[in-house]
Amino acid sequence: MSEAPAPREQWEVQLRGSWEACGEALLHAIAAGHSTYRAHGFTYSIDLRAGVQRNLTTGRERRLRVRRPAPLSSPSLPPAATSAAIPPAATSAAIPLAATSAAIPPAATSAAIPPAATSAAIPPAATSAAIPPAATSAAIPPTTAASASVPSSSAPSITSVPSSSSSSASSTAATTASTNSSSTAATTGSTTIAAAATSATAHVSVSTASTCTTSPTPPTTSRLAASSATSSPTSAASLPPFNTTPSAAVTRHDARATPPAEEKGCRTEDSSPLAPTPSRAEECAAGRAEEGHASTPRKRAREDEGRGDAPSGGGSANERLADIFEEMSVIMNLKKERFRSSAYDKAAKALRAHAAPILSGAQAKSIAGIGGGMARRIDEALARGELAELEALRRDDDVLALRSLRQVYGVGPVRAGALVAAGVRSLGALREAVAEGRVALDGAQRVGLRLAEELACKVPRDEVAAHEAALRAAAEGGPPLRLVVCGSYRRGKAASGDIDALITHAHKDGPCGDLLGGFIRSLRAAGYVTDDLAFGSTKYMGVCRLPGEGMLHRRLDVRAVPRENFHYATLYFTGSNTLNVKMRLRAIELGWTLNEYRLQKANGECVPASSEHDIFEALGMPY
DNA sequence: TACAGCGAAGCGAC
DNA sequence: GTCGCTTCGC
DNA sequence: GCCTG
Ligand SMILES: O=c1ccn([C@H]2C[C@H](O)[C@@H](COP(=O)(O)OP(=O)(O)OP(=O)(O)O)O2)c(=O)[nH]1
Ligand SMILES: [Mg+2]
């Protein structure tokens, strides 16, 4: 059966806190059934049953597992697609939300573990070891098809999130989604894209899926594993998730106005039928005039890589190359290639910061972050002004679709991939699919979809200032608090993707209690906060809008931390992203850990800080 | 082989 | 309700 | 993707 289209299983290797797809050499060895292979000068042995890859040269080991083939909603619409045929088994089973059904069974069963015997024991904990990895190959694939599951209803679809979107995601005021009676129920046969969905989906489709990860590792059940992602919705094109700057000099170029370069801030690019014509929002595209040099930023532009900045020339000598790599970074991010995305971003920033014009890849190789691959691309870019690879990616339908879908808050690489697989490739198509019940979104996603065009617009600096005033006004009457608007605004940018506010008790140390809750409630009462996306005790994510004609909805993030962590929190929340990563890496070098609460040494001791400056100093970094 | 570190949400298993 | 796992987002 | 041994 399988054979040909045998859904090439997706094997992953365990990293530190997450699992990543494994390389070609390893995949090839697995496909060929080899138990040893060579790659980058090393010899490896692999034991699929045990779920282990061992570097025979160094003796180090990494765990292996196979992951569910289809991300989320495998199925969706066209059952046909992938799996179509295959999955006799699973099919019926799945049923709507109730995922469980499927659970473990499929795979396991079949599997029955092959011959090999190395004792199953291997996995330490593993009680459950149950699920034989090996099987995987066999087992899973089929399922893969995922289509299997379709719940009762015919349509595949990704089930939705748990019905109750209750808390979060609900629209604050009456507005929003909540209304949608439909949602929940309706979902039945639809593809769920919501969070849980994942798992849901998983089971739906691959049932086992959830469990899916067949590796021996899992102590017991277990379905997924957590990790983090990146991405920045708003800034669409402009900034990639994270940036790693090359130079160690974390200097703070003092803020300067960001010129035109960033244009792409807004616009959704996706003119779909059902789209709620965002008049204003559309304009915002034009409104990108922003960059306004006018409003001179006030603070430092930490690691912001002034791009397009000074005409003074200076670093813009390699701007073209930097732009190319930055674009590659953004695309890699869309494609779930987080490390490649980081690598391209690092290279782009390094080139942008390099004053001398690069005339060849070989010359550039001396720059940290530029290796053989980048050097080769630099040569091509210098010769033809373009990268064939990039030109192809720009036209790639999947990339275009991902770019549209990823604009929706709550739709990350996995769910976007599931949607694309389901044939949903634009905001319009997504709205349509949701309306028809083929795709179910959770509350936050519904808000994100409804306001996608508006939220894609950047916020001019002056407006952020107005938001700050609104936040302070709402704080009156409540417990005294210290509030600082951080993010790109505090870094002096002329326009921001959202409003990031940090609050702490003004006088009291210790837990924040309901500080955040009370604050948000008053913002909502004032009519300022319009929708909630996530609402916890220390972090709030939602949507707000200033009163007045023509104001757009904006993303609002509020973080509450104990007063004693204020400077660490300010450092974190002000960023930039690149600076945070750089400082945290520096801490790692020292064997320490830096987060938004503290800088902790190896011996557990915490470094006191009465200013952000203290933190730079403790790490031996230039402020 | 490592890649920053963590909050919120949601689901299945128990 | 707790725990493990995952996704998404900051 | 890059870096290091
Ligand atoms: O992955 C992330 C994302 C964000 N942050 C920190 C730094 C960042 O500056 C701050 C606020 O996040 P946001 O996404 O709002 O970034 P920004 O720097 O404010 O840019 P934008 O103008 O797009 O909002 O949170 C991180 O440390 N890691
Ligand atoms: Mg921001």
Side-chain angles (χ1 to χ4, degrees):
Chain A
M1 46 161 97
S2 59
E3 189 252 309
R8 38 152 40 187
E9 294 114 329
Q10 297 201 346
W11 287 86
E12 300 181 309
V13 286
Q14 186 171 39
L15 256 48
R16 212 187 201 247
S18 63
W19 292 81
E20 294 293 329
C22 48
E24 276 308 314
L26 176 50
L27 280 179
H28 184 272
I30 290 174
H34 297 148
S35 60
T36 81
Y37 70 100
R38 305 207 62 199
H40 5 83
F42 291 105
T43 300
Y44 298 89
S45 73
I46 51 180
D47 183 339
L48 301 188
R49 278 185 7 83
V52 176
Q53 171 205 46
R54 179 177 298 111
N55 181 325
L56 297 179
T57 315
T58 68
R60 305 190 69 145
E61 294 186 350
R62 289 198 298 180
R63 308 199 104 137
L64 290 176
R65 74 175 186 183
V66 38
R67 166 187 247 276
R68 78 175 143 312
L72 248 221
S73 58
S74 38
S76 61
L77 316 171
T82 39
S83 57
I86 319 174
T91 48
S92 56
I95 300 186
L97 322 176
T100 19
S101 52
I104 323 166
T109 38
S110 58
I113 311 181
T118 0
S119 60
I122 303 182
T127 5
S128 62
I131 324 172
T136 44
S137 49
I140 297 190
T143 10
T144 308
S147 49
S149 50
V150 180
S152 47
S153 66
S154 50
S157 81
I158 316 166
T159 13
S160 71
V161 176
S163 45
S164 65
S165 47
S166 51
S167 54
S168 59
S170 55
S171 59
T172 314
T175 18
T176 341
S178 40
T179 36
N180 278 331
S181 49
S182 57
S183 52
T184 323
T187 22
T188 325
S190 58
T191 343
T192 301
I193 293 215
T198 323
S199 44
T201 327
H203 58 65
V204 168
S205 45
V206 189
S207 65
T208 316
S210 36
T211 313
C212 145
T213 342
T214 334
S215 90
T217 347
T220 34
T221 32
S222 78
R223 339 257 104 169
L224 334 169
S227 62
S228 59
T230 60
S231 83
S232 54
T234 352
S235 50
S238 0
L239 26 151
F242 26 127
N243 323 303
T244 324
T245 333
S247 70
V250 172
T251 65
R252 52 184 336 345
H253 329 234
D254 246 2
R256 44 165 131 256
T258 337
E262 319 202 24
E263 20 134 337
K264 4 191 181 169
C266 324
R267 163 194 346 222
T268 304
E269 70 128 297
D270 175 62
S271 56
S272 54
L274 301 189
T277 4
S279 50
R280 258 295 184 267
E282 266 176 2
E283 293 178 26
C284 97
R288 58 183 175 233
E290 21 111 343
E291 324 321 359
H293 315 271
S295 59
T296 345
R298 30 130 103 124
K299 273 259 179 169
R300 85 280 230 151
R302 350 161 134 177
E303 283 305 311
D304 265 315
E305 315 320 336
R307 116 202 4 233
D309 61 336
S312 57
S316 53
N318 305 302
E319 196 58 30
R320 171 63 187 157
L321 290 175
D323 285 345
I324 287 175
F325 287 137
E326 187 173 276
E327 192 175 350
M328 285 295 292
S329 171
V330 171
I331 293 176
M332 286 301 152
N333 182 39
L334 288 175
K335 297 168 70 74
K336 307 184 205 172
E337 292 277 2
R338 39 190 279 245
F339 294 122
R340 278 188 174 78
S341 173
S342 291
Y344 276 112
D345 188 65
K346 184 178 184 181
K349 285 181 162 54
L351 290 169
R352 192 163 278 135
H354 198 75
I358 297 298
L359 302 176
S360 74
Q363 175 202 342
K365 277 200 68 170
S366 62
I367 300 173
I370 307 292
M374 294 294 174
R376 178 170 55 69
R377 291 173 172 78
I378 286 174
D379 285 330
E380 182 187 343
L382 288 174
R384 357 177 357 252
E386 272 297 353
L387 232 45
E389 194 181 358
L390 178 56
E391 293 178 303
L393 286 170
R394 283 196 194 110
R395 286 190 298 269
D396 188 294
D397 281 348
D398 284 2
V399 169
L400 295 177
L402 291 176
R403 189 169 290 162
S404 299
L405 299 171
R406 285 289 294 279
Q407 288 185 83
V408 179
Y409 176 96
V411 175
V414 176
R415 289 163 198 161
L419 286 170
V420 168
V424 177
R425 326 179 60 91
S426 69
L427 290 185
L430 179 55
R431 288 185 167 113
E432 213 171 309
V434 169
E436 292 172 14
R438 295 177 349 243
V439 168
L441 303 180
D442 65 21
Q445 292 167 335
R446 285 197 296 268
V447 172
L449 179 56
R450 175 165 53 84
L451 303 174
E453 287 81 2
E454 285 185 54
L455 297 182
C457 296
K458 285 240 180 186
V459 191
R461 187 172 185 80
D462 288 350
E463 188 187 318
V464 180
H467 282 271
E468 177 170 6
L471 293 168
R472 291 190 188 290
E476 307 229 347
L481 53 79
R482 170 148 49 162
L483 181 156
V484 182
V485 175
C486 303
S488 52
Y489 175 74
R490 184 156 181 267
R491 296 201 308 277
K493 298 304 236 176
S496 298
D498 64 1
I499 293 97
D500 303 296
L502 171 68
I503 61 175
T504 72
H505 270 118
H507 315 298
K508 189 169 69 81
D509 270 1
C512 300
D514 192 41
L515 183 69
L516 180 62
F519 184 51
I520 298 302
R521 284 193 293 278
S522 78
L523 290 173
R524 187 182 294 148
Y528 173 72
V529 158
T530 64
D531 300 87
D532 301 334
L533 297 171
F535 196 170
S537 64
T538 71
K539 188 173 78 172
Y540 172 81
M541 298 202 275
V543 179
C544 64
R545 186 172 59 174
L546 287 172
E549 192 69 10
M551 292 311 258
L552 298 178
H553 284 90
R554 306 298 193 184
R555 278 279 294 102
L556 171 69
D557 290 339
V558 183
R559 193 74 197 262
V561 300
R563 211 173 69 104
E564 61 270 29
N565 301 322
F566 179 75
H567 298 292
Y568 284 100
T570 302
L571 174 69
Y572 153 74
F573 218 25
T574 299
S576 68
N577 217 309
T578 299
L579 177 63
N580 287 350
V581 172
K582 185 172 297 185
M583 293 183 76
R584 290 170 184 207
L585 284 172
R586 170 61 184 156
I588 287 176
E589 270 179 31
L590 299 172
W592 304 354
T593 298
L594 172 65
N595 56 32
E596 66 265 51
Y597 304 112
R598 61 187 64 83
L599 174 58
Q600 189 161 28
K601 300 187 178 182
N603 61 18
E605 193 181 311
C606 293
V607 178
S610 51
S611 69
E612 291 177 276
H613 184 267
D614 286 351
I615 306 169
F616 282 83
E617 203 158 80
L619 292 170
M621 297 176 76
Y623 178 72

